[in-house]
Amino acid sequence: RMRMFGGGTNCWGGYVFAQDEDTFQPRDDLHAPYPGWPIAKSELDPYFKEALSIVDIDPEAPFAPAMENPYDKFIAGMRSMEMRELYWNLSPPTRFRNKYFEAVQNIDTVDLLLDHSLVDLETDADGQVIAAVFTALDGSVTYRITGDRFVLACGGIENPRLLLYLNE
């Protein structure tokens, strides 16, 4: 875990691949049923080019088969098992801490807490988050932050881990 502003982008290799429609679909051919995503790929498509520009990839650059890269043996194995090939593009890679930290610090409507852990989400009777509770890593201070909207932006593994931990 990269517990710092910018998270995994601080050690990310820069590989980006475009998800296909199948990624979002339910599947029952795995060792355990996979329910699929609660959204469709088509709902994300309007934002894809903007997301590429955020990680400094030309939105018009084509995604190409990952032919010559450190994973060539893996890709050859995928082909032999009739698996779909992934199409990649490469970011410089972009480090969000370097690119966005100063700008985020200067936004009046954003509270940025570093060196704190989310320890609770408070919800109303409808299940909507009304407050987030944070504790300093050394345990010295606890903050309760209220708001109309919250963004849980801890990454693809940490978001579900936190939600499961908090039982939300």
Side-chain angles (χ1 to χ4, degrees):
R1 296 185 192 135
M2 301 299 294
R3 291 186 60 125
M4 63 180 70
F5 187 93
T9 66
N10 292 300
C11 65
W12 170 52
Y15 284 96
V16 173
F17 72 97
Q19 301 283 351
D20 59 17
E21 191 64 46
D22 289 346
T23 303
F24 294 80
Q25 301 303 314
R27 293 185 58 184
D28 58 9
D29 60 336
L30 303 172
H31 68 280
Y34 170 67
W37 284 72
I39 58 174
K41 179 182 181 299
S42 60
E43 293 177 66
L44 295 177
D45 286 341
Y47 309 101
F48 189 63
K49 287 185 178 185
E50 182 180 356
L52 291 175
S53 65
I54 289 170
V55 294
D56 299 314
I57 293 176
D58 177 357
E60 302 305 322
F63 277 68
M67 292 295 201
E68 296 181 32
N69 66 50
Y71 304 107
D72 278 343
K73 289 182 183 177
F74 172 73
I75 292 167
M78 283 177 39
R79 288 185 184 132
S80 71
M81 295 186 302
E82 297 181 8
M83 294 178 77
R84 288 189 319 265
E85 188 166 354
L86 301 175
Y87 291 84
W88 297 88
N89 213 320
L90 191 62
S91 168
T94 301
R95 307 290 184 220
F96 283 9
R97 180 177 184 88
N98 298 342
K99 186 172 181 179
Y100 297 113
F101 184 71
E102 188 175 321
V104 170
Q105 278 186 308
N106 294 323
I107 300 172
D108 292 335
T109 56
V110 171
D111 293 316
L112 178 62
L113 286 177
L114 301 175
D115 301 320
H116 286 71
S117 291
L118 176 67
V119 294
D120 195 16
L121 292 174
E122 297 175 8
T123 57
D124 63 15
D126 295 325
Q128 298 296 310
V129 175
I130 57 171
V133 180
F134 298 86
T135 299
L137 294 181
D138 64 6
S140 62
V141 182
T142 298
Y143 294 99
R144 181 179 181 272
I145 298 174
T146 60
D148 296 326
R149 293 190 175 99
F150 293 85
V151 176
L152 187 59
C154 298
I157 299 297
E158 289 302 305
N159 278 352
R161 185 190 69 79
L162 270 169
L163 292 173
L164 287 168
Y165 169 77
L166 297 169
N167 196 26
E168 297 297 329

